[in-house]
Amino acid sequence: MTASLAFPVFSPPAVSLGARRSRRPISRKSSSAPRAGASFLSDVEQAPPDPILGVSVAFRECQNPNKLNLGVGAYRTEELKPYVLDVVKRAEKLMLDAGYDKEYLPMQGLAEFNAATVELLLGKESEAVKSNRVATVQSLSGTGSLRVGAAFVAKFMPGAKVFLPSPTWGNHKNIFADAGVEWAEYRYYDATTVGLDLEGMLGDLEAAPEGSVVVLHGCAHNPTGVDPTMDDWTKIADVVERRKLVPFFDVAYQGFASGSLEEDASSVRMFADRGIEFFCAQSYSKNLGLYAERVGAINAVLADADAAKKTLSQLNRIARAMYSNPPVHGARIAATVINDPELFQRWNEEMREMAGRIKTVRGMLYDDLVTRNPDKDWSFVTRQIGMFSFTGLNETQVKNMTDKHAVYMTKDGRISLAGLSQEKCAYLADAIDDSFRNVQ
């Protein structure tokens, strides 16, 4: 078992009120008199549109009856409608009948949820859980959990650089940058094979400074859908352990990728079983369909209970300053489903059904693409896992997909197969084939 991470005690310097007022984060022009009718925020730059959420805005404005929204990672039925899980409806009825109040939760969140989520992540027989070596704080889905973790890194691991896979989820860079944590990238995706660049990844991790934080997608890598095998994960863990790196898992799709909660947590559990300390952000947006409820958790799996206790106190303190305490409704849904044997069994069935529908359209899309262009290797479509497929389309080809075929997707060539129906597979295959053949 590795030694516990040494988090230095940090106290922010006292700043006088006068000093606070003297700081000017907003750029101002040198004119001594304010401009008539101009806001004091006139010099704030316009932020660029969000590359993912902006796709949905454009889709809604499109009038083409054949339009497809393959941008946002949200599950749709075969009729391309949002889906509220049966277990969520049943859990909400049980909650309504129980007459729960709407009082504030503690900073740490709902106790029943925290106990359930860490067990779901690490397993019922986890030695780390039994020995109280896990600090868990309920947070605002995966994004909020990552942000709390990023703030912890900034405060207690000063100077540590975060290494992100190239490519990665678009919000990772924003989250760590806004927390004041420097980030860099490591090689992950091989455009030639449309697969994992394991050699490049291991080489970059070997070169990372000791104590660096490495963000790892636990399963269903976003945006590529390319996951390491378990043999690959063993090699990754070897480097992490040897170089004394700190893994930060992002687990947004447990149970939703393969249809198995156990299989999708196997990478994280392997690290825990090896005694490697790590952070892990969890989300219940995809696997329970609780997109708008913002349900998730930040976990620190550590070498001893004392370190976990102190880390928990500081995670709570960060959460208190950031959003005070998390929402209760979605957390209670998740806890109810996980802790009720009947609901838990039905949830597993529904995850298999959702994952199965995505696998079905993957197979159909592959067949349609092969029919249209048998000379091109389309096997990446079925090799990838989860809701996304990284098509290899470049930005110009993606523009053709949208402008000519009304297929809305992110500029990096990612498509969400969760937004594809069997009926639309042939239409999408036509658009992809046209874009590859006729657009450079």
Side-chain angles (χ1 to χ4, degrees):
M1 184 172 292
T2 58
S4 176
L5 294 173
F7 297 132
V9 176
F10 174 85
S11 297
V15 181
S16 69
L17 181 59
R20 290 181 187 274
R21 287 177 174 168
S22 69
R23 300 173 74 179
R24 305 277 188 184
I26 297 171
S27 167
R28 295 179 183 273
K29 295 185 176 174
S30 58
S31 173
S32 58
R35 291 168 291 172
S39 169
F40 81 102
L41 298 179
S42 296
D43 294 330
V44 174
E45 294 182 2
Q46 178 70 38
D50 185 275
I52 298 176
L53 300 182
V55 172
S56 291
V57 174
F59 172 80
R60 286 193 293 269
E61 295 173 352
C62 178
Q63 301 302 311
N64 189 323
N66 294 315
K67 65 182 181 179
L68 271 174
N69 185 359
L70 305 182
V72 177
Y75 182 79
R76 296 291 181 261
T77 65
E78 185 60 28
E79 294 71 39
L80 301 184
K81 301 296 183 183
Y83 178 57
V84 179
L85 273 67
D86 174 56
V87 288
V88 169
K89 296 176 183 177
R90 290 165 63 179
E92 286 184 313
K93 185 178 186 305
L94 290 172
M95 289 157 53
L96 186 64
D97 292 344
Y100 290 117
D101 58 42
K102 299 293 183 181
E103 290 293 305
Y104 289 124
L105 287 177
M107 291 177 287
Q108 189 177 351
L110 185 69
E112 304 96 294
F113 169 78
N114 288 342
T117 194
V118 71
E119 184 177 288
L120 197 75
L121 178 69
L122 298 179
K124 291 184 178 181
E125 301 304 317
S126 168
E127 195 275 330
V129 176
K130 290 180 178 179
S131 56
N132 299 313
R133 295 191 288 106
V134 186
T136 301
V137 172
Q138 178 194 336
S139 194
L140 309 181
S141 197
T143 302
S145 301
L146 285 161
R147 185 61 177 81
V148 171
F152 186 94
V153 170
K155 190 171 183 179
F156 295 101
M157 301 172 64
K161 183 183 288 188
V162 171
F163 285 82
L164 303 169
S166 178
T168 192
W169 177 49
N171 213 16
H172 277 151
K173 295 174 182 178
N174 295 333
I175 289 168
F176 287 99
D178 282 6
V181 179
E182 183 182 359
W183 59 265
E185 295 181 306
Y186 63 84
R187 285 170 287 178
Y188 186 87
Y189 175 73
D190 186 336
T192 303
T193 64
V194 197
L196 178 67
D197 181 5
L198 181 64
E199 183 178 349
M201 178 183 183
L202 296 177
D204 287 347
L205 295 186
E206 285 279 9
E210 183 178 315
S212 296
V213 176
V214 180
V215 171
L216 300 167
H217 297 228
C219 63
H221 180 273
N222 178 3
T224 69
V226 174
D227 280 2
T229 65
M230 285 310 296
D231 285 343
D232 295 338
W233 277 117
T234 298
K235 295 174 183 176
I236 294 166
D238 289 342
V239 175
V240 164
E241 199 165 22
R242 182 170 58 253
R243 294 291 303 140
K244 298 181 180 177
L245 305 177
V246 181
F248 196 145
F249 283 98
D250 185 354
V251 177
Y253 304 97
Q254 186 182 354
F256 191 85
S258 68
S260 166
L261 289 166
E262 307 297 316
E263 183 176 339
D264 291 346
S266 56
S267 60
V268 178
R269 293 181 183 183
M270 186 261 284
F271 275 63
D273 290 344
R274 287 183 58 156
I276 299 173
E277 296 186 294
F278 60 85
F279 297 103
C280 182
Q282 293 173 273
S283 169
Y284 288 85
S285 292
K286 308 299 191 297
N287 56 12
L288 262 177
L290 298 177
Y291 305 98
E293 301 293 353
R294 314 313 294 149
V295 187
I298 175 67
N299 304 274
V301 181
L302 303 175
D304 61 78
D306 184 59
K309 180 180 179 181
K310 290 185 289 187
T311 298
L312 177 60
S313 72
Q314 294 293 349
L315 289 172
N316 280 335
R317 189 167 181 262
I318 290 169
R320 173 63 171 163
M322 196 175 289
Y323 52 81
S324 193
N325 48 7
V328 68
H329 187 75
R332 189 160 276 143
I333 292 173
T336 300
V337 170
I338 296 170
N339 291 325
D340 183 296
E342 183 179 342
L343 292 181
F344 186 73
Q345 179 179 345
R346 176 59 186 142
W347 180 37
N348 278 270
E349 293 171 356
E350 288 193 274
M351 281 188 288
R352 286 193 293 270
E353 290 165 5
M354 291 188 291
R357 196 189 83 75
I358 294 173
K359 289 176 183 176
T360 296
V361 296
R362 270 191 188 280
M364 292 181 65
L365 178 62
Y366 169 78
D367 290 341
D368 287 336
L369 287 167
V370 170
T371 299
R372 285 153 179 77
N373 187 355
D375 296 328
K376 182 174 174 59
D377 182 7
W378 300 103
S379 62
F380 65 87
V381 175
T382 50
R383 288 201 315 267
Q384 295 166 356
I385 190 172
M387 62 166 46
F388 299 116
S389 177
F390 213 52
T391 61
L393 291 164
N394 62 38
E395 193 167 331
T396 304
Q397 292 166 332
V398 169
K399 188 175 187 301
N400 182 69
M401 294 281 290
T402 301
D403 294 348
K404 183 176 179 180
H405 301 282
V407 175
Y408 289 83
M409 54 193 290
T410 53
K411 292 180 180 180
D412 59 6
R414 185 196 81 172
I415 57 174
S416 172
L417 295 176
L420 178 65
S421 65
Q422 296 182 35
E423 181 183 357
K424 290 285 189 177
C425 281
Y427 180 78
L428 178 60
D430 286 336
I432 292 174
D433 181 49
D434 171 62
S435 298
F436 271 120
R437 285 181 186 273
N438 302 316
V439 181
Q440 297 302 313

